[in-house]
Amino acid sequence: ADDGQALSLGSDSWKNRRDLHRKLGYLAQGFALYADLTVDENIQFFAQMYGVPAWKDRRNELLDLVDLKEFRARLAGRLSGGMKQKLALACTLIHQPEVLLLDEPTTGVDPVTRREFWRLLAELVARGLSLLVATPYLDEAERCTRVLLMHEGSILADAPPAEIPALMPGVIVEVEARPRNTAAGLLRGLPAVADLSVFGTRLHVHLLSDADPIGLIRGALENHEIDLLSLGIISPGLEDTFLYLTRSSPLSDPKEAI
């Protein structure tokens, strides 16, 4: 580093890097193990590299944890995407780190595997392991005890996930209307509307201030050929708040936010 200081577990990350190697685990986003080694051999390699005593017992424990015991003789390159991530997790945990760093661990995996992987992570937390997770999925961030929302390298929020929506002023009105794009265009043009985002078939309309947001939106749509299916005020979610914070950030490009 050219400047500044990074601390891990209270220690300088560079000066004490060798000691920190024993205390930290890292799970990369991409598969970074040896495809031509078996499941057993990959775990053995990391165990011996870290000098783990009685590593065979530890390996069996981890294979049970990640549900790969029956695949221990299979080449890593022949595993499915989700199984590769489970194997990588086992290799990362072989030396029993205090903190586990995960870089977008569920990107590209199917929904069932994604849910199972987070079940494993929850079990690790229950056993006392601390996790630092980078994720683009805000529903995953909601599972954490503390969330840092970042944009262009700057921290926009740092709080428990339940507290972050309080950073968003005004109200969110959820609208389902047809045709959706026409309704969105009309609502974006209202002076009271600060922002509008598409969530599936629905629109989340952010109004900073208005005495009657429901009446305002209903009136705007009823004056045109819009079929209004549902309309109501909702509590802002983590994704609503993140979009608001990024678009109101001085680092944001106004053209990109439109």
Side-chain angles (χ1 to χ4, degrees):
D2 296 321
D3 195 11
Q5 185 182 38
L7 300 178
S8 299
L9 297 172
S11 298
D12 186 286
S13 298
W14 176 250
K15 294 179 181 178
N16 302 301
R17 59 192 181 280
R18 295 192 181 279
D19 181 51
L20 287 170
H21 285 167
R22 306 284 178 179
K23 299 179 179 180
L24 301 177
Y26 173 66
L27 184 63
Q29 178 181 354
F31 185 63
L33 303 183
Y34 296 96
D36 56 347
L37 295 183
T38 65
V39 168
D40 261 2
E41 290 168 342
N42 267 289
I43 300 177
Q44 177 183 348
F45 171 79
F46 282 91
Q48 293 180 333
M49 183 177 70
Y50 279 106
V52 178
W55 58 265
K56 291 183 179 179
D57 292 338
R58 176 66 175 160
R59 178 177 64 183
N60 291 336
E61 177 189 346
L62 290 170
L63 287 173
D64 279 334
L65 174 68
V66 300
D67 199 23
L68 286 180
K69 203 165 188 176
E70 61 180 295
F71 304 101
R72 61 193 312 160
R74 182 176 296 185
L75 291 176
R78 296 183 178 178
L79 298 174
S80 68
M83 293 168 71
K84 286 178 178 177
Q85 280 297 79
K86 289 181 179 181
L87 173 58
L89 180 63
C91 291
T92 300
L93 295 173
I94 190 66
H95 64 296
Q96 297 182 295
E98 296 178 28
V99 176
L100 180 58
L101 313 174
L102 303 101
D103 181 11
E104 301 188 12
T106 60
T107 299
V109 302
D110 63 88
V112 174
T113 302
R114 184 179 170 213
R115 184 172 62 246
E116 173 65 13
F117 196 83
W118 273 95
R119 185 195 65 77
L120 284 173
L121 297 183
E123 186 170 339
L124 293 173
V125 171
R127 295 183 181 190
L129 185 64
S130 296
L131 307 182
L132 178 62
V133 186
T135 177
Y137 304 121
L138 291 175
D139 62 318
E140 292 186 349
E142 288 177 339
R143 298 170 180 259
C144 301
T145 55
R146 176 182 165 196
V147 173
L148 277 79
L149 297 179
M150 299 188 69
H151 177 59
E152 299 290 338
S154 296
I155 296 175
L156 302 178
D158 178 3
E163 296 178 8
I164 290 180
L167 300 173
M168 186 174 186
V171 297
I172 296 287
V173 178
E174 186 176 72
V175 180
E176 186 173 11
R178 296 175 184 165
R180 188 192 64 185
N181 290 344
T182 303
L186 289 170
L187 295 176
R188 278 195 178 99
L190 296 177
V193 173
D195 196 11
L196 184 147
S197 302
V198 178
F199 285 76
T201 62
R202 292 173 167 81
L203 305 173
H204 283 195
V205 186
H206 180 204
L207 297 96
L208 289 177
S209 62
D210 192 86
D212 182 16
I214 296 295
L216 175 70
I217 291 177
R218 187 185 301 277
L221 297 181
E222 286 180 347
N223 292 332
H224 299 81
E225 295 182 2
I226 302 294
D227 185 13
L228 185 58
L229 304 177
S230 65
L231 179 66
I233 295 176
I234 62 171
S235 299
L238 204 56
E239 189 164 347
D240 293 305
T241 311
F242 179 67
L243 290 172
Y244 165 74
L245 292 174
T246 55
R247 290 169 177 173
S248 61
S249 167
L251 297 171
S252 299
D253 182 351
K255 296 180 181 178
E256 188 176 322
I258 296 176

